[in-house]
């Protein structure tokens, strides 16, 4: 698929259990079991956990001469951004229990709904980054939260926000500027016009409405806010170039536009799209 083919990192599919894709409790248990073992084998290795479905890595490094060079460059970029985020939070020791968490531009309940009460930062379960012990401790404590909750079918976004509100062992570091985990969700200020779509997408003092799922806003949402140069996609505001982009749920149309635009300027993406998607749509 596009996700697997767009990265030089080694990928391990932890969610081979189909139930894990539907049930957060099963997914978190699979992750907890995996990292409990990895913590004994690779204590200092950084693990990038991607839980979104529509994801591709930014900048395929197609100009680099070899797979070894590309892997080294990607690893260096990831480690540098991880350390920068920790430093910005005042964290000096890399061996402490810290996990970088993806953020979104809206507060989501599941993939499509607004939060009952929006609180910033809008943590999003699309991505996690940390060492095995930190991720193992986090997922084990998330299981404890699920066990004590009346909503065993609750979504991971809500679970992460609940975890962040408590003083537990792992410190969650929000990727505020989306240096690592880029979200294709876009918003406009103010409440949604349609009553059925209103909700607490953003904090009460700064209401917003998502437009990445509205056909008549897509031109503004994508072409007005993103630029593509060869195999790299950048969000124009702040020239944001994250390690990867994700577009699940309310951002799935943005994901398709991103792949289509990249395919026009990047041969590697064009081949991936033709290989991974029907050509007779």
């Amino acid at each position: 698929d596009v996700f697997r083919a767009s990265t030089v990192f080694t990928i391990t599919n932890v969610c081979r259990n189909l139930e894990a894709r539907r049930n957060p409790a099963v997914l978190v248990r699979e992750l907890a079991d995996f990292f409990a073992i990895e913590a004994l084998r690779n204590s200092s290795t950084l693990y990038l956990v991607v839980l979104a479905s529509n994801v591709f890595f930014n900048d395929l490094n197609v100009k680099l001469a070899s797979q070894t060079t590309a892997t080294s460059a990607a690893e260096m970029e990831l480690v540098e951004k991880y350390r920068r985020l920790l430093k910005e939070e005042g964290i000096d020791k890399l061996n402490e229990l810290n996990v970088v968490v993806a953020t979104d531009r809206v507060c989501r309940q599941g993939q499509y709904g607004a939060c009952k009460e929006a609180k910033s930062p809008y943590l999003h379960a699309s991505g996690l980054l940390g060492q095995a012990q930190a991720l193992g401790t986090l997922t084990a404590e998330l299981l404890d939260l699920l066990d004590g909750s009346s909503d065993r079918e609750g979504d991971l976004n809500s679970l992460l926000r609940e975890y962040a509100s408590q003083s537990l062992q792992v410190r969650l570091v929000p990727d505020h500027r989306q240096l690592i985990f880029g979200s294709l969700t876009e918003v406009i200020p103010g409440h949604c016009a349609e009553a059925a779509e209103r909700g607490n997408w953003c904090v009460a003092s700064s209401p917003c409405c998502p437009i990445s799922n509205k056909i008549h806003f897509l031109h503004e949402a994508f072409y007005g806010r993103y630029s593509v140069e060869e195999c790299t996609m950048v969000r124009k505001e702040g020239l944001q170039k994250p390690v990867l982009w994700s577009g699940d749920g309310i951002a799935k149309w943005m994901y398709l536009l991103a792949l289509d635009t990249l395919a026009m300027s990047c041969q590697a993406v064009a081949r991936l799209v033709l290989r991974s998607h029907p050509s007779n749509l």
Side-chain angles (χ1 to χ4, degrees):
D1 58 16
V2 172
F3 167 70
R4 189 178 295 273
S6 66
T7 182
V8 294
F9 293 128
T10 301
I11 294 178
T12 302
N13 183 9
V14 180
C15 303
R16 289 183 291 271
N17 184 339
L18 292 179
E19 184 63 21
R21 301 178 186 179
R22 299 187 292 267
N23 189 323
V26 176
L27 170 58
V28 175
R29 188 170 299 281
E30 294 267 353
L31 290 170
D33 291 344
F34 174 79
F35 285 114
I37 296 172
E38 291 298 301
L40 301 175
R41 298 193 297 200
N42 301 300
S43 60
S44 61
T45 302
L46 273 181
Y47 290 82
L48 183 68
V49 181
V50 178
L51 300 176
S53 300
N54 298 330
V55 181
F56 61 89
F57 280 80
N58 205 19
D59 188 357
L60 299 183
N61 295 307
V62 292
K63 295 179 181 177
L64 296 176
S66 69
Q67 177 77 9
T68 302
T69 305
T71 302
S72 177
E75 289 173 348
M76 287 176 62
E77 179 187 8
L78 191 62
V79 171
E80 187 274 328
K81 288 185 173 181
Y82 171 76
R83 289 178 172 173
R84 191 194 312 176
L85 286 169
L86 264 57
K87 186 176 181 180
E88 289 174 357
E89 291 288 317
I91 302 171
D92 296 322
K93 296 180 180 179
L94 298 181
N95 60 347
E96 293 179 348
L97 297 180
N98 308 299
V99 171
V100 173
V101 184
T103 64
D104 208 348
R105 292 183 185 86
V106 295
C107 186
R108 286 202 229 178
Q109 189 83 18
Q111 292 293 350
Y112 296 95
C115 290
K116 294 179 181 178
E117 182 181 358
K119 294 181 179 179
S120 181
Y122 310 134
L123 299 182
H124 192 230
S126 57
L128 306 169
L129 176 65
Q131 295 176 343
Q133 184 180 357
L135 289 163
T137 303
L138 171 62
T139 48
E141 292 188 329
L142 287 174
L143 278 177
D144 291 340
L145 285 180
L146 276 171
D147 288 339
S149 171
S150 58
D151 184 12
R152 295 301 306 275
E153 300 297 320
D155 72 286
L156 287 180
N157 297 328
S158 302
L159 192 62
L160 279 174
R161 289 193 294 270
E162 182 181 351
Y163 187 96
S165 70
Q166 303 186 27
S167 299
L168 299 174
Q169 292 190 65
V170 179
R171 180 169 178 177
L172 300 186
V173 180
D175 185 8
H176 290 286
R177 291 180 288 125
Q178 300 188 3
L179 298 178
I180 298 168
F181 303 105
S183 169
L184 292 169
T185 303
E186 291 295 335
V187 301
I188 55 175
H191 294 289
C192 296
E194 297 85 354
E197 295 179 347
R198 293 175 189 167
N200 297 307
W201 292 105
C202 293
V203 293
S205 60
S206 183
C208 70
C209 182
I211 58 172
S212 44
N213 58 338
K214 294 179 172 63
I215 296 296
H216 54 286
F217 273 111
L218 283 180
H219 190 277
E220 173 192 340
F222 184 78
Y223 296 105
R225 304 188 185 192
Y226 295 84
S227 63
V228 170
E229 183 175 345
E230 295 185 348
C231 300
T232 301
M233 193 170 85
V234 175
R235 192 169 188 270
K236 295 176 183 178
E237 183 180 346
L239 296 178
Q240 172 194 355
K241 193 195 84 168
V243 173
L244 55 82
W245 290 105
S246 66
D248 274 7
I250 59 174
K252 63 183 179 182
W253 291 110
M254 297 284 285
Y255 167 79
L256 292 174
L257 282 174
L259 287 184
D260 178 71
T261 306
L262 280 163
M264 297 294 181
S265 63
C266 179
Q267 291 185 9
V269 176
R271 288 193 294 268
L272 290 179
V273 171
L274 287 173
R275 191 163 66 236
S276 305
H277 296 78
S279 58
N280 58 348
L281 290 177

